[in-house]
Amino acid sequence: MLTEERHRKIIDWLERDGLVKSQDLIQWLDSSESTVRRDLQELEDLGILERVHGGAKRPQHLEQELAMFEKSSKNVQQKKLIAKYASDYINDGDVIYLDAGTTTSEMIPFLKNRAVTIVTNSVGLAAHLVEAQIATIVLGGRIKLTTDAVVGSQALEQLKQYRFNKAFMGMNGVHIDSGYSTPDPEEAILKRAAIQQSEQAFVLVDHSKFNQTSFVSVASLSAASILTDTCPLVIHDQITEQTTLKEVSV
């Protein structure tokens, strides 16, 4: 296998999983240990990955956040499955907070013809909810252009007036020590408030968000239940047993 092809495969695996083990790469690439070690060193020199004991991980850029259109193209199938599973927790008559995000947006098709009221801080999600004829309240305030999220003190004061049966949240990072986190301080404040205003809170994340830490802490892991796609190593080894963790078969 050519060097460029090996590098592309390593990068793809990192994008998908966030972490790769050297022994797995040796097997997957059908290459020697020295070749894999050299590949990882070259990619680290380029700033594409960080070498860790026994493998490599994606570099941590705590304040970096992808735009919505970039996020929407990643792990699409996993997001749809997580969204479908999340919708099973909804009962007719529920008042729900739907956080801005690409995974939460995948819930909308499963909410059609449901007798629910949705409060959201996303103008994009609000538009799709209205198209689906779902009763919707959108928070007012400044719109963050990269994530389509409404943020700021006006949105926060409005949010504090409401109580929710359930909140479905997006997050950028889920870590056993730092809990839930996101890059933007204003979004973190709204996320934290929505969780506090809800009888039940669910964090919708695919496996790539595990062992990641963003700039601002939102809440501890115990503050919400995690709905994710199947990732047994993360479930058993790297997430506390006190956290409710649900699996969706992919």
Side-chain angles (χ1 to χ4, degrees):
M1 189 181 297
L2 296 175
T3 300
E4 290 184 0
E5 186 178 357
R6 290 198 309 274
H7 286 187
R8 171 45 52 192
K9 287 183 178 293
I10 293 171
I11 293 169
D12 288 344
W13 283 323
L14 279 173
E15 284 294 318
R16 185 190 67 194
D17 298 333
L19 180 73
V20 292
K21 295 181 179 180
S22 297
Q23 290 302 315
D24 290 336
L25 290 176
I26 291 170
Q27 180 180 350
W28 295 336
L29 299 173
D30 193 22
S31 299
S32 67
E33 183 177 354
S34 60
T35 297
V36 168
R37 189 185 307 114
R38 184 171 61 250
D39 287 339
L40 294 180
Q41 184 62 60
E42 291 174 357
L43 291 172
E44 183 177 50
D45 292 342
L46 294 171
I48 294 173
L49 57 77
E50 292 180 12
R51 296 181 67 189
V52 296
H53 180 69
K57 66 177 183 178
R58 285 182 301 189
Q60 289 277 14
H61 301 296
L62 296 182
E63 298 185 50
Q64 182 178 0
E65 183 164 21
L66 298 176
M68 282 290 285
F69 75 90
E70 295 176 290
K71 292 181 181 179
S72 62
S73 64
K74 293 180 176 292
N75 301 325
V76 175
Q77 188 61 27
Q78 289 91 335
K79 292 174 181 178
K80 290 181 183 293
L81 289 170
I82 295 167
K84 182 179 186 301
Y85 194 55
S87 69
D88 291 340
Y89 285 85
I90 295 172
N91 301 313
D92 286 347
D94 277 347
V95 177
I96 297 164
Y97 183 81
L98 206 58
D99 190 24
T102 54
T103 306
T104 51
S105 69
E106 295 290 351
M107 292 180 64
I108 295 175
F110 304 108
L111 299 177
K112 289 183 178 180
N113 303 317
R114 302 290 296 271
V116 295
T117 299
I118 306 294
V119 178
T120 183
N121 68 323
S122 168
V123 291
L125 265 65
H128 291 307
L129 287 163
V130 171
E131 288 176 5
Q133 296 294 292
I134 299 168
T136 303
I137 298 171
V138 60
L139 299 180
R142 180 174 63 84
I143 300 172
K144 184 180 172 185
L145 299 181
T146 54
T147 61
D148 193 30
V150 178
V151 296
S153 58
Q154 182 179 346
L156 179 62
E157 289 305 311
Q158 185 180 354
L159 175 59
K160 286 182 176 179
Q161 298 175 26
Y162 302 132
R163 295 294 185 273
F164 309 109
N165 298 108
K166 285 124 188 166
F168 296 91
M169 312 299 300
M171 290 290 168
N172 296 77
V174 178
H175 194 280
I176 191 169
D177 295 320
S178 53
Y180 305 116
S181 58
T182 194
D184 186 276
E186 288 187 299
E187 284 200 61
I189 292 171
L190 279 182
K191 289 177 186 289
R192 189 179 304 121
I195 291 172
Q196 292 171 347
Q197 300 294 96
S198 303
E199 294 175 6
Q200 290 181 284
F202 300 90
V203 170
L204 279 57
V205 286
D206 63 72
H207 62 271
S208 68
K209 303 295 180 64
F210 286 100
N211 301 314
Q212 303 297 314
T213 301
S214 289
F215 183 49
V216 187
S217 175
V218 174
S220 64
L221 290 184
S222 61
S225 299
I226 300 171
L227 303 185
T228 187
D229 54 310
T230 301
C231 191
L233 289 178
V234 170
I235 290 168
H236 297 303
D237 294 340
Q238 297 164 22
I239 298 297
T240 174
E241 292 180 358
Q242 296 178 354
T243 301
T244 302
L245 188 63
K246 303 296 183 181
E247 293 184 39
V248 180
S249 297
V250 178

